[in-house]
Coordinates of all heavy atoms in Angstrom, one line a residue:
Q1 N 4.5 139.5 64.0 CA 4.4 140.8 64.6 C 5.7 141.3 65.2 O 5.8 142.5 65.6 CB 3.3 140.7 65.7 CG 1.9 140.6 65.1 CD 1.6 141.8 64.1 OE1 1.7 142.9 64.5 NE2 1.3 141.5 62.9
N2 N 6.7 140.5 65.3 CA 8.0 140.9 65.7 C 8.9 141.3 64.6 O 10.2 141.6 65.0 CB 8.7 139.8 66.6 CG 8.0 139.6 68.0 OD1 7.8 140.7 68.7 ND2 7.5 138.4 68.2
L3 N 8.6 141.3 63.4 CA 9.3 141.7 62.2 C 8.6 142.9 61.6 O 7.4 142.7 61.3 CB 9.5 140.5 61.4 CG 10.3 139.4 61.9 CD1 10.4 138.3 60.8 CD2 11.8 139.8 62.2
I4 N 9.3 143.9 61.2 CA 8.7 145.0 60.4 C 9.4 145.1 59.2 O 10.7 145.0 59.1 CB 8.8 146.3 61.3 CG1 8.0 147.4 60.5 CG2 10.1 146.7 61.6 CD1 7.7 148.6 61.4
A5 N 8.8 145.3 58.0 CA 9.4 145.3 56.8 C 8.8 146.5 55.9 O 7.7 146.8 56.0 CB 9.2 144.1 56.0
F6 N 9.7 147.2 55.2 CA 9.2 148.3 54.3 C 10.1 148.5 53.2 O 11.3 148.1 53.2 CB 9.1 149.6 55.2 CG 10.3 149.9 56.1 CD1 11.2 150.8 55.7 CD2 10.4 149.4 57.3 CE1 12.3 151.2 56.4 CE2 11.5 149.7 58.2 CZ 12.4 150.5 57.7
Y7 N 9.5 149.1 52.2 CA 10.2 149.3 50.8 C 10.5 150.9 50.7 O 9.5 151.6 51.1 CB 9.3 148.8 49.7 CG 9.5 149.3 48.3 CD1 10.7 149.1 47.8 CD2 8.5 150.0 47.6 CE1 11.0 149.5 46.4 CE2 8.8 150.5 46.3 CZ 9.9 150.2 45.7 OH 10.1 150.7 44.5
K8 N 11.6 151.3 50.4 CA 11.9 152.6 50.2 C 12.6 152.8 48.8 O 13.4 152.0 48.3 CB 12.8 153.2 51.2 CG 12.2 153.2 52.6 CD 12.8 154.1 53.6 CE 12.3 155.4 53.4 NZ 12.7 156.4 54.5
W9 N 12.5 154.0 48.2 CA 12.9 154.2 46.8 C 13.3 155.7 46.7 O 12.7 156.6 47.4 CB 11.9 153.8 45.8 CG 10.6 154.6 45.8 CD1 10.4 155.7 45.1 CD2 9.5 154.3 46.7 NE1 9.0 156.1 45.4 CE2 8.6 155.3 46.4 CE3 9.3 153.3 47.7 CZ2 7.3 155.4 47.1 CZ3 8.0 153.4 48.3 CH2 7.0 154.4 48.0
N10 N 14.2 156.0 45.7 CA 14.4 157.4 45.4 C 13.6 158.0 44.3 O 12.7 157.2 43.8 CB 16.0 157.6 45.0 CG 16.3 156.9 43.6 OD1 15.6 156.0 43.2 ND2 17.4 157.3 43.1
Q11 N 13.7 159.2 43.9 CA 12.8 159.9 43.1 C 12.6 159.2 41.8 O 11.5 159.0 41.3 CB 13.3 161.3 42.9 CG 12.3 162.3 42.3 CD 12.8 163.7 42.5 OE1 12.5 164.3 43.6 NE2 13.3 164.4 41.6
D12 N 13.7 158.7 41.1 CA 13.5 158.1 39.8 C 13.6 156.6 39.9 O 13.7 155.9 38.8 CB 14.5 158.7 38.8 CG 16.0 158.4 39.2 OD1 16.2 157.8 40.3 OD2 16.9 159.0 38.6
K13 N 13.6 156.0 41.0 CA 13.6 154.6 41.3 C 14.8 153.9 40.7 O 14.8 152.7 40.2 CB 12.3 153.9 40.8 CG 11.1 154.2 41.6 CD 9.9 153.2 41.4 CE 8.8 153.3 42.4 NZ 7.8 152.4 42.4
T14 N 15.9 154.6 40.7 CA 17.2 153.9 40.4 C 17.8 153.4 41.7 O 18.9 152.8 41.6 CB 18.1 155.0 39.7 OG1 18.3 156.1 40.7 CG2 17.6 155.5 38.5
N15 N 17.3 153.6 42.8 CA 17.8 153.1 44.1 C 16.6 152.7 44.9 O 15.8 153.5 45.4 CB 18.6 154.2 44.8 CG 19.2 153.7 46.1 OD1 18.9 154.2 47.2 ND2 20.1 152.6 45.9
E16 N 16.5 151.3 45.1 CA 15.3 150.7 45.8 C 15.9 149.7 46.8 O 16.7 149.0 46.6 CB 14.4 150.0 44.8 CG 13.8 150.8 43.7 CD 13.1 150.0 42.7 OE1 13.7 149.5 41.8 OE2 11.8 150.1 42.7
L17 N 15.3 149.9 48.0 CA 15.7 149.1 49.2 C 14.5 148.5 49.8 O 13.4 148.9 49.8 CB 16.4 150.0 50.2 CG 17.5 150.9 49.8 CD1 18.1 151.7 51.0 CD2 18.7 150.1 49.2
L18 N 14.8 147.2 50.4 CA 13.8 146.6 51.3 C 14.5 146.4 52.6 O 15.6 145.9 52.7 CB 13.5 145.2 50.7 CG 12.6 144.3 51.5 CD1 11.2 145.0 51.5 CD2 12.5 143.0 51.0
I19 N 13.9 147.1 53.7 CA 14.5 146.9 55.0 C 13.6 146.0 55.9 O 12.4 146.2 55.8 CB 14.6 148.4 55.6 CG1 15.6 149.3 54.9 CG2 15.0 148.3 57.1 CD1 14.9 150.1 53.9
I20 N 14.2 145.2 56.6 CA 13.5 144.3 57.5 C 14.2 144.3 58.8 O 15.4 144.1 58.9 CB 13.4 142.8 57.0 CG1 12.8 142.8 55.6 CG2 12.6 141.9 57.9 CD1 13.0 141.5 54.8
I21 N 13.5 144.6 59.9 CA 14.0 144.7 61.2 C 13.3 143.9 62.3 O 12.1 143.9 62.3 CB 14.0 146.2 61.6 CG1 14.8 147.1 60.7 CG2 14.7 146.4 63.1 CD1 14.7 148.6 60.9
S22 N 14.1 143.2 63.1 CA 13.4 142.5 64.1 C 13.2 143.3 65.4 O 14.1 144.1 65.7 CB 14.3 141.3 64.6 OG 13.8 140.7 65.8
L23 N 12.1 143.3 65.9 CA 11.6 144.1 67.1 C 12.0 143.3 68.4 O 11.6 143.7 69.5 CB 10.3 144.5 67.0 CG 9.9 145.4 65.8 CD1 8.5 145.8 65.8 CD2 10.9 146.7 65.7
D24 N 12.5 142.1 68.3 CA 12.8 141.2 69.4 C 14.3 141.3 69.7 O 15.1 140.8 68.9 CB 12.3 139.8 69.2 CG 12.4 138.9 70.4 OD1 13.2 139.2 71.3 OD2 11.6 138.0 70.5
A25 N 14.7 141.8 70.8 CA 16.1 142.0 71.2 C 16.7 140.7 71.8 O 17.9 140.7 72.1 CB 16.3 143.1 72.1
Y26 N 15.9 139.6 72.0 CA 16.4 138.5 72.7 C 16.3 137.1 72.0 O 17.1 136.3 72.3 CB 15.6 138.3 74.0 CG 15.9 139.5 74.9 CD1 14.9 140.5 75.0 CD2 17.0 139.6 75.7 CE1 15.1 141.7 75.8 CE2 17.2 140.7 76.6 CZ 16.3 141.8 76.6 OH 16.5 142.8 77.4
Y27 N 15.4 137.1 71.1 CA 15.2 135.7 70.4 C 15.2 135.9 68.9 O 14.7 136.9 68.3 CB 14.0 135.0 70.9 CG 13.9 134.8 72.4 CD1 13.2 135.6 73.2 CD2 14.5 133.7 72.9 CE1 13.1 135.5 74.6 CE2 14.5 133.5 74.3 CZ 13.8 134.3 75.2 OH 13.8 134.1 76.4
A28 N 15.5 134.8 68.2 CA 15.5 134.8 66.7 C 14.0 134.9 66.3 O 13.1 134.4 66.9 CB 16.2 133.6 66.2
Q29 N 13.8 135.5 65.2 CA 12.4 135.7 64.6 C 12.4 135.3 63.2 O 13.3 135.7 62.4 CB 11.9 137.1 64.8 CG 11.6 137.5 66.2 CD 10.5 136.8 66.9 OE1 9.6 136.2 66.2 NE2 10.5 136.6 68.2
Q30 N 11.4 134.6 62.8 CA 11.2 134.1 61.3 C 9.9 134.6 60.8 O 9.0 134.8 61.5 CB 11.3 132.6 61.3 CG 12.5 131.9 61.8 CD 12.4 130.4 61.8 OE1 11.3 129.9 61.8 NE2 13.6 129.8 61.8
G31 N 9.9 134.7 59.5 CA 8.6 135.1 58.8 C 8.9 135.1 57.3 O 10.0 134.9 56.8
T32 N 7.7 135.3 56.6 CA 7.7 135.4 55.1 C 7.3 136.7 54.7 O 6.2 137.2 55.1 CB 6.9 134.4 54.4 OG1 5.6 134.4 55.1 CG2 7.6 133.0 54.6
V33 N 8.1 137.5 54.0 CA 7.8 138.9 53.6 C 7.3 138.9 52.1 O 7.7 138.1 51.3 CB 9.1 139.8 53.7 CG1 10.2 139.3 52.8 CG2 8.7 141.3 53.4
Q34 N 6.3 139.7 51.9 CA 5.6 139.8 50.6 C 6.2 141.0 49.9 O 6.3 142.2 50.3 CB 4.1 140.1 50.8 CG 3.4 140.2 49.4 CD 1.9 140.5 49.6 OE1 1.5 141.0 50.6 NE2 1.1 140.1 48.6
L35 N 6.8 140.7 48.8 CA 7.5 141.7 48.0 C 6.5 142.6 47.3 O 5.3 142.1 46.8 CB 8.3 141.1 46.9 CG 9.6 140.4 47.4 CD1 10.3 139.7 46.2 CD2 10.6 141.3 48.1
P36 N 6.7 144.0 47.2 CA 5.8 144.9 46.6 C 6.0 144.8 45.0 O 6.5 145.7 44.4 CB 6.2 146.2 47.2 CG 7.6 146.1 47.4 CD 7.8 144.7 47.8
L37 N 5.6 143.7 44.4 CA 5.9 143.5 43.0 C 5.4 144.6 42.1 O 6.1 145.0 41.2 CB 5.2 142.2 42.6 CG 5.7 140.9 43.3 CD1 5.1 139.7 42.7 CD2 7.3 140.7 43.2
Q38 N 4.1 145.1 42.4 CA 3.6 146.1 41.5 C 4.5 147.4 41.5 O 4.8 148.0 40.5 CB 2.3 146.5 41.9 CG 1.5 147.5 41.0 CD 0.1 147.8 41.3 OE1 -0.5 147.0 42.1 NE2 -0.5 148.7 40.6

């Protein structure tokens, strides 16, 4: 719950990004992210 992840892309999907941000400013945070394979 301290990690937020999202996928963004451009109009023709020639540029695709995965952004992951920690919402905890004091401690390290770990997790497993599910890729949007479809």
